Amino acid sequence: MEKDVLCESVKKLDSSIRFVGLINAKGHLEAGGMTEGKNTLEDTKKDEMLYMELALRVRMRQEFDQELGPVRFAMSYRDKVIVMSFPINKEILLVSAEKDLNFAKFPFETLKLIEQYRK
């Protein structure tokens, strides 16, 4: 599965999805973007900072992989959106969604798509 195909497939899982992007280890957007018809909540410069911070946070979490097992996804429930990250090898799938997202179901559907992407 190609990077853009993965991003589009994740967007199609739920109408609450605002953004799906694949971020590389250096914090640069490789594929994906905003869902058509949705507006970003921050400016482009802050997007770049968010991506770099995310890449650093994922690397820091990997320090505990041996003891706790690898992180499959992480989620932040914020006042305006839900943000999830899914480490995939050296990349990170970043998803933001409206707060009405079924976050008990969605991440596991996304993990199934990621498994197809890895093949």
Side-chain angles (χ1 to χ4, degrees):
M1 186 181 299
E2 304 243 351
K3 293 176 182 185
D4 284 315
V5 172
L6 172 63
C7 292
E8 288 305 313
S9 297
V10 172
K11 283 181 188 178
K12 290 177 184 173
L13 289 176
D14 196 289
S15 61
S16 308
I17 302 302
R18 299 180 50 77
F19 172 91
V20 178
L22 207 54
I23 312 300
N24 69 19
K26 294 182 180 184
H28 299 288
L29 182 65
E30 296 273 313
M34 290 299 296
T35 299
E36 191 173 322
K38 307 268 182 174
N39 295 320
T40 184
L41 297 176
E42 68 280 334
D43 65 35
T44 305
K45 282 289 179 198
K46 286 193 177 181
D47 281 346
E48 293 170 9
M49 288 175 45
L50 175 71
Y51 302 155
M52 289 188 296
E53 188 269 340
L54 175 63
L56 176 61
R57 197 169 359 123
V58 167
R59 281 196 302 273
M60 291 179 72
R61 282 189 201 122
Q62 290 170 339
E63 293 294 320
F64 300 100
D65 282 0
Q66 189 168 350
E67 294 86 1
L68 303 174
V71 172
R72 299 295 177 205
F73 71 90
M75 182 178 74
S76 297
Y77 188 83
R78 296 179 167 265
D79 285 345
K80 296 182 180 179
V81 294
I82 297 171
V83 180
M84 295 183 194
S85 61
F86 300 82
I88 307 172
N89 303 326
K90 295 187 186 267
E91 298 171 314
I92 306 146
L93 184 71
L94 176 63
V95 178
S96 71
E98 304 295 341
K99 290 179 63 179
D100 62 351
L101 177 76
N102 182 343
F103 55 82
K105 180 181 169 189
F106 174 81
F108 299 100
E109 293 173 334
T110 302
L111 288 172
K112 288 178 187 174
L113 286 174
I114 289 170
E115 283 307 312
Q116 293 175 3
Y117 171 73
R118 287 183 177 162
K119 292 179 181 178

